[in-house]
Amino acid sequence: MNVSNQEQKQMKLKQFLKILSEDPSLLLKDGQSEVRSLPELLMATGCLIHNEPIDMAKLISQLLGKIGLQACSDDMMEHVMNGGTVDEFINNTR
């Protein structure tokens, strides 16, 4: 069975999103009333919405840069796929 590169990427993304959905560090914290919406995140990076697909990897990389990290979405994905949490990634990358 030959799995294409595109199919491998889709499977990896699906696994990553499943892991993220179970990441305890992404739960609302005490004093935090709600999570930010996608339009709020886009505005935070200066990205304008023009009825076109949003490159989530680019958005995550820009958000990481906004909080002062010299890392990209691939770095975060690798960390999470290896058993780490998003909070650990952010705190250990600073």
Side-chain angles (χ1 to χ4, degrees):
M1 181 169 128
N2 190 7
V3 179
S4 74
N5 190 33
Q6 185 67 22
E7 288 172 319
Q8 288 176 346
K9 286 182 179 181
Q10 287 176 344
M11 289 187 316
K12 185 175 180 180
L13 177 60
K14 188 174 182 175
Q15 182 183 9
F16 172 67
L17 293 174
K18 181 175 179 358
I19 293 169
L20 274 185
S21 74
E22 299 168 351
D23 185 338
S25 73
L26 296 178
L27 297 174
L28 290 177
K29 311 278 191 288
D30 290 337
Q32 185 181 7
S33 61
E34 61 184 52
V35 295
R36 288 189 162 178
S37 68
L38 183 56
E40 288 175 308
L41 295 174
L42 290 168
M43 286 177 53
T45 63
C47 190
L48 301 174
I49 303 171
H50 299 292
N51 278 343
E52 56 192 40
I54 297 167
D55 183 339
M56 292 303 291
K58 183 178 176 182
L59 176 63
I60 296 296
S61 295
Q62 290 175 332
L63 288 169
L64 291 171
K66 284 281 187 186
I67 61 171
L69 301 181
Q70 297 294 318
C72 67
S73 60
D74 288 337
D75 299 329
M76 186 179 79
M77 186 175 190
E78 182 78 21
H79 177 80
V80 170
M81 295 290 285
N82 287 324
T85 66
V86 172
D87 273 354
E88 291 169 348
F89 175 77
I90 290 171
N91 292 329
N92 294 333
T93 306
R94 289 182 188 238

